[in-house]
């Protein structure tokens, strides 16, 4: 397995108290595989990814428990210096906002080339050729002519491609894309998503795709982990989750996807708000919003029940998953 996160717990010490942002997350992704991580704002998707990348804000953040195995090695046991070598070279991240991640006063060619100069001691001339190659790879038209241009001269979609090119520069084995298309309009979103999927296949990388939009992952992900209040509440191969969710929260998310063939139809939105992480409700964290909730849900924290075993294990953290699956 390329990456395995095991029982990860992360909290933030704030003035108001301890925010329990990640509360026992397990997920894994293999080479050539795409894991989509889904959930509403504040569910812990980015914090988990930051812990994997080693870019968590510590303090106020603190990893209180867990393992992050990358190619079998627990990253949490490494010194910062060793982690730095892995970051960029073996795992890289694509963020949502390309404009604020790129340097406005450096040409894109210089920024891409810098990766090779800094990490591989390449000459300026050679690194520029590499920059053009990368821009070609992420399908930026007329790469050779545009390599000297600045970020603001590119469209949002093209800038996001440049971000992807930066992440790919050192041929990492794992890419984490955190809401890579949220700032783009719908058609461009699909193109960038397709590009990521294609590159993942070409380069046999592991890809973790973080999003709160179930609509965009259907075609690109192999499996989905749905997060709620810092836990994974459902884990399944992508097509099974669309056919029949085994958790009421996933069901709510699915029913919130706008459908092109049903214009004007009112969207079902999950009622209520995500819990306050300073004070997560006892039992199942979703119970105050759940249409299936009953007494047991308000007292017993549901474990991840095994729904099916093969080929990709499917699990749901709902006491009444059978009812949800068949109902
Ligand atoms: N630097 C920080 N200081 C304090 N608390 C933080 C910090 N970063 C994250 N948190 C806490 O962790 C929670 C989870 O944050 P995270 O960024 O992982 O959410 P997310 O699932 O990525 O949401 P979004 O979809 O909005 O990006 C936040 O709601 C917040 O309470
Ligand atoms: Mg986030």
């Amino acid at each position: 397995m390329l990456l395995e996160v095991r029982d990860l717990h992360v909290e933030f010490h704030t003035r108001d108290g301890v925010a329990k942002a990640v509360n026992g997350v397990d997920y894994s992704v293999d080479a050539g595989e795409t894991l989509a991580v889904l959930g509403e704002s504040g569910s812990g998707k980015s914090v988990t990814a930051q812990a994997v990348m080693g870019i968590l804000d510590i303090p106020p953040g603190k990893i209180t428990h867990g393992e992050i195995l990358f190619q079998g090695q627990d990253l949490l046991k490494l010194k910062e210096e060793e982690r730095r070598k892995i970051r960029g070279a073996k795992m890289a991240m694509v963020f949502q906002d390309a404009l604020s991640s790129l340097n406005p006063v450096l040409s894109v060619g210089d920024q891409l080339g810098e990766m090779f100069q800094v990490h591989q001691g390449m000459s300026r001339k050679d690194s520029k050729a590499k920059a053009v190659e990368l821009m070609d790879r992420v399908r930026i038209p007329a790469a050779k002519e545009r390599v000297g241009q600045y970020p603001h001269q590119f469209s949002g979609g093209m800038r996001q491609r440049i971000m992807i090119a930066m992440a790919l520069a050192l041929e990492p084995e794992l890419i984490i894309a955190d809401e890579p298309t949220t700032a783009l309009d719908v058609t461009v979103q699909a193109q960038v998503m397709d590009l990521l999927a294609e590159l993942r296949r070409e380069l046999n990388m592991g890809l973790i795709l973080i999003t709160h939009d179930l609509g965009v992952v259907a075609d690109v992900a192999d499996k989905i982990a749905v997060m709620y209040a810092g836990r994974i509440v459902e884990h399944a191969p992508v097509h099974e989750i669309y056919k029949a969710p085994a958790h009421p929260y996933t069901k709510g998310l699915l029913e919130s996807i706008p459908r092109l063939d049903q214009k004007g139809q009112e969207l079902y939105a999950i009622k209520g708000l995500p819990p306050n992480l300073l004070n997560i409700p006892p039992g199942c964290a979703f119970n105050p919003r759940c249409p299936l909730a009953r007494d047991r849900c308000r007292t017993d924290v549901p474990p991840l029940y095994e729904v099916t075993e093969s080929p990709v294990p499917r699990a749901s953290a709902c006491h009444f998953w059978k009812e949800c699956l068949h109902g």
Side-chain angles (χ1 to χ4, degrees):
M1 195 56 74
L2 181 63
L3 176 80
E4 249 185 291
V5 174
R6 288 191 188 157
D7 199 22
L8 186 72
H9 291 251
V10 181
E11 52 188 44
F12 288 92
H13 290 253
T14 69
R15 248 183 312 153
D16 303 325
V18 178
K20 299 209 178 260
V22 177
N23 302 299
V25 163
D26 291 89
Y27 66 47
S28 67
V29 63
D30 218 340
E33 193 177 44
T34 301
L35 164 73
V37 180
L38 235 102
E40 285 167 301
S41 189
S43 55
K45 307 179 298 292
S46 296
V47 169
T48 306
Q50 287 158 6
V52 171
M53 282 297 291
I55 55 169
L56 200 64
D57 273 334
I58 301 177
K62 189 178 177 195
I63 296 176
T64 55
H65 190 81
E67 290 176 318
I68 298 173
L69 302 173
F70 184 68
Q71 298 174 323
Q73 186 177 42
D74 187 358
L75 298 180
L76 297 179
K77 295 210 169 89
L78 297 182
K79 294 199 183 71
E80 177 48 31
E81 192 188 320
E82 297 168 296
R83 289 226 52 192
R84 206 176 311 134
K85 282 189 202 139
I86 294 176
R87 205 155 45 232
K90 288 181 173 262
M91 55 169 77
M93 200 151 167
V94 179
F95 298 94
Q96 173 182 329
D97 185 0
L99 204 51
S100 67
S101 308
L102 291 166
N103 186 336
V105 299
L106 274 186
S107 73
V108 299
D110 282 343
Q111 289 180 67
L112 288 167
E114 204 173 36
M115 300 287 293
F116 300 102
Q117 292 176 32
V118 171
H119 290 268
Q120 298 178 346
M122 207 178 264
S123 73
R124 215 185 123 83
K125 183 159 168 283
D126 288 349
S127 71
K128 190 171 168 193
K130 282 292 248 186
V132 173
E133 203 182 296
L134 276 174
M135 287 169 72
D136 274 333
R137 172 156 257 173
V138 296
R139 334 260 192 269
I140 294 177
K144 222 175 181 161
E145 288 73 48
R146 303 199 71 182
V147 68
Q149 293 186 342
Y150 294 85
H152 72 268
Q153 294 175 284
F154 291 82
S155 68
M158 288 298 151
R159 274 199 294 268
Q160 205 55 4
R161 284 167 195 262
I162 294 163
M163 288 302 296
I164 293 170
M166 295 267 257
L168 289 177
L170 305 175
E171 298 182 9
E173 273 132 301
L174 174 70
I175 292 224
I176 303 180
D178 193 349
E179 312 261 6
T181 62
T182 307
L184 308 172
D185 66 49
V186 179
T187 21
V188 183
Q189 268 186 16
Q191 289 163 0
V192 170
M193 215 42 102
D194 287 346
L195 172 70
L196 269 174
E198 221 173 292
L199 292 165
R200 189 263 303 157
R201 252 192 319 272
E202 254 174 44
L203 304 171
N204 199 38
M205 298 180 297
L207 175 63
I208 298 178
L209 198 59
I210 299 172
T211 172
H212 45 239
D213 186 352
L214 244 172
V216 304
V217 299
D219 300 328
V220 296
D222 297 297
K223 56 189 187 183
I224 291 191
V226 180
M227 287 188 71
Y228 191 78
R231 293 189 70 206
I232 290 185
V233 294
E234 178 160 9
H235 185 279
V238 68
H239 296 295
E240 290 185 29
I241 228 168
Y242 283 92
K243 268 188 282 176
H247 195 287
Y249 179 62
T250 316
K251 198 170 180 177
L253 287 180
L254 274 170
E255 286 165 4
S256 312
I257 303 178
R259 290 182 46 177
L260 296 172
D261 56 339
Q262 293 176 7
K263 269 217 181 92
Q265 188 202 13
E266 203 170 307
L267 286 183
Y268 169 87
I270 303 165
K271 53 178 194 335
L273 291 171
N276 176 355
L277 298 174
L278 298 170
N279 188 15
I280 297 175
C284 171
F286 187 57
N287 87 71
R289 305 171 73 187
C290 182
L292 294 183
R294 53 205 81 167
D295 286 348
R296 187 178 172 198
C297 306
R298 292 180 260 275
T299 52
D300 301 355
V301 176
L304 260 177
Y305 295 104
E306 192 176 275
V307 175
T308 48
E309 208 178 325
S310 64
V312 180
R314 177 160 193 199
S316 164
C318 174
H319 294 304
F320 301 103
W321 65 267
K322 279 184 191 150
E323 216 173 290
C324 182
L325 194 63
H326 305 297

